[in-house]
Amino acid sequence: MTDISKEDDGAAAAALTQAAKEKLTQTVLKIEKLEEEKAEVTGQIKDVYQEAKSMGYDTKALRRVITLRKMDREEREEAEAILDTYLLALGEI
Protein backbone atom coordinates (compact mmCIF):
# COMPACT_ATOMS: atom_id res chain seq x y z
CA MET A 1 0.00 0.00 0.00
CA THR A 2 1.28 3.49 -0.81
CA ASP A 3 2.12 5.82 2.06
CA ILE A 4 0.68 9.24 1.26
CA SER A 5 1.59 12.08 3.60
CA LYS A 6 -0.92 14.61 4.87
CA GLU A 7 0.91 17.28 2.91
CA ASP A 8 0.12 15.42 -0.31
CA ASP A 9 -3.55 15.19 0.72
CA GLY A 10 -3.65 18.92 1.35
CA ALA A 11 -2.08 19.69 -2.00
CA ALA A 12 -4.54 17.42 -3.79
CA ALA A 13 -7.51 19.01 -2.01
CA ALA A 14 -6.24 22.51 -2.77
CA ALA A 15 -5.93 21.59 -6.44
CA LEU A 16 -9.65 20.84 -6.69
CA THR A 17 -11.69 23.68 -8.07
CA GLN A 18 -14.62 24.96 -6.05
CA ALA A 19 -16.99 23.40 -8.60
CA ALA A 20 -15.25 20.03 -8.24
CA LYS A 21 -15.46 20.27 -4.45
CA GLU A 22 -19.18 21.05 -4.64
CA LYS A 23 -19.77 18.17 -7.06
CA LEU A 24 -17.84 15.83 -4.74
CA THR A 25 -19.89 17.00 -1.76
CA GLN A 26 -23.15 16.48 -3.69
CA THR A 27 -22.03 13.01 -4.73
CA VAL A 28 -21.14 12.01 -1.17
CA LEU A 29 -24.43 13.38 0.17
CA LYS A 30 -26.39 11.53 -2.52
CA ILE A 31 -24.63 8.24 -1.70
CA GLU A 32 -25.27 8.75 2.02
CA LYS A 33 -28.95 9.42 1.36
CA LEU A 34 -29.25 6.31 -0.81
CA GLU A 35 -27.49 4.23 1.87
CA GLU A 36 -30.05 5.46 4.41
CA GLU A 37 -32.90 4.57 2.05
CA LYS A 38 -31.36 1.16 1.41
CA ALA A 39 -31.19 0.50 5.16
CA GLU A 40 -34.82 1.54 5.48
CA VAL A 41 -35.94 -0.78 2.67
CA THR A 42 -33.83 -3.62 4.07
CA GLY A 43 -35.64 -3.18 7.38
CA GLN A 44 -39.01 -3.23 5.64
CA ILE A 45 -38.11 -6.42 3.77
CA LYS A 46 -37.02 -8.02 7.04
CA ASP A 47 -40.38 -7.05 8.58
CA VAL A 48 -42.28 -8.66 5.67
CA TYR A 49 -40.30 -11.90 6.04
CA GLN A 50 -40.99 -11.86 9.79
CA GLU A 51 -44.70 -11.36 9.08
CA ALA A 52 -44.64 -14.22 6.56
CA LYS A 53 -42.95 -16.43 9.14
CA SER A 54 -45.62 -15.61 11.71
CA MET A 55 -48.24 -16.71 9.15
CA GLY A 56 -46.50 -20.07 8.86
CA TYR A 57 -44.58 -19.57 5.62
CA ASP A 58 -41.09 -21.00 5.26
CA THR A 59 -38.88 -17.94 4.83
CA LYS A 60 -36.01 -19.90 3.26
CA ALA A 61 -38.40 -21.10 0.58
CA LEU A 62 -39.72 -17.57 0.08
CA ARG A 63 -36.19 -16.23 -0.35
CA ARG A 64 -35.51 -18.95 -2.92
CA VAL A 65 -38.74 -18.08 -4.76
CA ILE A 66 -37.69 -14.41 -4.88
CA THR A 67 -34.26 -15.39 -6.22
CA LEU A 68 -35.76 -17.67 -8.88
CA ARG A 69 -38.30 -15.05 -9.98
CA LYS A 70 -35.42 -12.64 -10.70
CA MET A 71 -34.05 -15.10 -13.27
CA ASP A 72 -35.50 -15.61 -16.71
CA ARG A 73 -36.82 -19.09 -17.47
CA GLU A 74 -33.79 -20.19 -19.50
CA GLU A 75 -31.33 -19.05 -16.83
CA ARG A 76 -33.36 -20.79 -14.12
CA GLU A 77 -33.55 -24.05 -16.08
CA GLU A 78 -29.79 -23.97 -16.69
CA ALA A 79 -29.10 -23.40 -12.97
CA GLU A 80 -31.43 -26.27 -12.04
CA ALA A 81 -29.74 -28.58 -14.56
CA ILE A 82 -26.32 -27.77 -13.16
CA LEU A 83 -27.57 -28.34 -9.61
CA ASP A 84 -29.07 -31.69 -10.61
CA THR A 85 -25.79 -32.70 -12.27
CA TYR A 86 -23.80 -31.86 -9.14
CA LEU A 87 -26.26 -33.66 -6.85
CA LEU A 88 -26.22 -36.71 -9.09
CA ALA A 89 -22.42 -36.72 -9.14
CA LEU A 90 -22.41 -36.60 -5.32
CA GLY A 91 -24.93 -39.45 -5.12
CA GLU A 92 -27.55 -37.22 -3.53
CA ILE A 93 -30.23 -38.03 -6.13
Side-chain angles (χ1 to χ4, degrees):
M1 187 163 172
T2 307
D3 184 28
I4 300 175
S5 71
K6 289 185 180 182
E7 291 174 11
D8 291 341
D9 289 345
L16 289 176
T17 65
Q18 187 60 33
K21 290 177 185 179
E22 288 173 9
K23 186 65 177 172
L24 177 60
T25 300
Q26 290 172 357
T27 301
V28 169
L29 291 173
K30 186 175 183 178
I31 291 169
E32 289 173 342
K33 181 178 184 252
L34 290 170
E35 288 290 344
E36 288 174 12
E37 291 174 8
K38 182 172 77 171
E40 209 174 287
V41 169
T42 298
Q44 292 171 353
I45 291 170
K46 182 180 175 185
D47 292 345
V48 172
Y49 277 112
Q50 196 62 31
E51 182 182 333
K53 184 176 182 176
S54 72
M55 291 187 291
Y57 293 113
D58 182 319
T59 56
K60 286 183 183 180
L62 281 174
R63 289 180 191 281
R64 183 71 177 143
V65 167
I66 298 301
T67 299
L68 291 172
R69 286 175 51 98
K70 289 179 184 177
M71 297 178 178
D72 63 30
R73 182 180 202 90
E74 191 173 295
E75 183 182 7
R76 184 171 58 239
E77 289 172 354
E78 181 180 339
E80 289 172 358
I82 292 170
L83 179 61
D84 287 345
T85 301
Y86 289 178
L87 290 172
L88 185 61
L90 295 170
E92 298 293 325
I93 55 172

